[in-house]
Amino acid sequence: IAITGVSRGLGRAMVAEFIQRGHQVSGCCRDAAAAVDLKTLYGRDHHFQAVDVRDLLAVRDWRQQTITHIGVPNLLLNNAAVINENAPLWKVPASEFAEVININICGVYHVLTEFIPLMIEAGEGVIANFSSTWGRSTSPQVAPYCATKFAIEGLTKALASELPPGLCAVPFNPGVIDTEMLRRCFGDQASAYSSPESWAASAVPKLLAITSKDNGKSLSAAD
């Protein structure tokens, strides 16, 4: 399993759940200290690396390290994302808008272009690009984030139509979970939702159950 954005939240919870179920994991995140912590926690059977997905060369190095440590992944999860500070669109600073776009869309593109050729050569593999409830509906104050997650839906479905038999790409909506990202939007109201750990216990089996028959479908953890 290869996962982006593993320093906290859903990414870190998925790492724990996949490893508990006996899978090898290669994960990346921008937080170098978190990558070291994960290496210490899970040992040499897995690989964790500090990577900024906006940097194509850094993603390329992670791809090579992933192949070295665990081989070509059977499941590639583009989970890394950021959200803007709550604000109407015209008050979002240009630099913040660009960061959301560059991580949530360009970062996914970088990971896909590095891993897909290897998965095509292997003749199999599942790609789940994390969408959002805000990739299929909208709310005020988070227009940049909504834009990126709507883009993930379209990008992934177009990609699905290009993949050869044996491969699969799906946009995956994890639902609403009590993460640091959600707390930035909802404040303490986020505590009404499931923790990342309880979410992962039910979502990981659904991710593992995705097959080439699901290619191009918009899937949700709640399905």
Side-chain angles (χ1 to χ4, degrees):
I1 318 291
I3 313 174
T4 67
V6 297
S7 61
R8 60 184 185 271
L10 304 190
R12 186 144 186 161
M14 285 190 291
V15 166
E17 188 68 26
F18 279 119
I19 290 176
Q20 183 179 340
R21 290 171 178 270
H23 297 275
Q24 278 190 295
V25 173
S26 175
C28 73
C29 57
R30 286 193 291 176
D31 187 336
V36 171
D37 181 51
L38 287 163
K39 283 183 179 180
T40 302
L41 184 61
Y42 293 114
R44 295 183 179 180
D45 288 341
H46 310 281
H47 176 68
F48 299 98
Q49 184 173 340
V51 176
D52 186 336
V53 293
R54 294 173 294 183
D55 182 343
L56 177 59
L57 294 181
V59 172
R60 184 165 297 163
D61 182 67
W62 176 53
R63 180 259 293 163
Q64 187 55 50
Q65 294 297 326
T66 297
I67 301 309
T68 300
H69 285 85
I70 71 168
V72 178
N74 305 108
L75 179 59
L76 174 63
L77 304 177
N78 272 301
N79 162 70
V82 295
I83 196 167
N84 59 284
E85 295 288 344
N86 284 9
L89 180 61
W90 62 92
K91 292 186 178 180
V92 175
S95 59
E96 185 177 8
F97 185 88
E99 180 183 39
V100 175
I101 296 293
N102 287 334
I103 292 174
N104 296 10
I105 301 176
C106 298
V108 171
Y109 163 76
H110 291 156
V111 173
L112 293 174
T113 56
E114 288 301 311
F115 280 92
I116 287 175
L118 298 172
M119 298 172 86
I120 290 175
E121 185 177 350
E124 61 180 1
V126 170
I127 299 158
N129 295 327
F130 275 48
S131 177
S132 171
T133 300
W134 286 332
R136 300 171 190 177
S137 64
T138 60
S139 290
Q141 309 288 314
V142 288
Y145 183 80
C146 290
T148 63
K149 292 306 182 178
F150 269 82
I152 288 299
E153 292 277 335
L155 180 150
T156 307
K157 290 190 172 190
L159 169 64
S161 70
E162 300 167 345
L163 293 174
L167 272 72
C168 170
V170 300
F172 185 80
N173 173 19
V176 185
I177 306 100
D178 182 9
T179 61
E180 180 181 322
M181 182 182 292
L182 189 69
R183 285 179 175 268
R184 289 180 63 182
C185 304
F186 285 14
D188 290 341
Q189 295 178 20
S191 63
Y193 298 95
S194 299
S195 70
E197 293 74 22
S198 62
W199 170 86
S202 61
V204 161
K206 294 176 182 179
L207 288 163
L208 290 169
I210 299 171
T211 71
S212 58
K213 294 180 181 179
D214 297 307
N215 190 37
K217 295 179 182 177
S218 287
L219 302 181
S220 299
D223 292 342

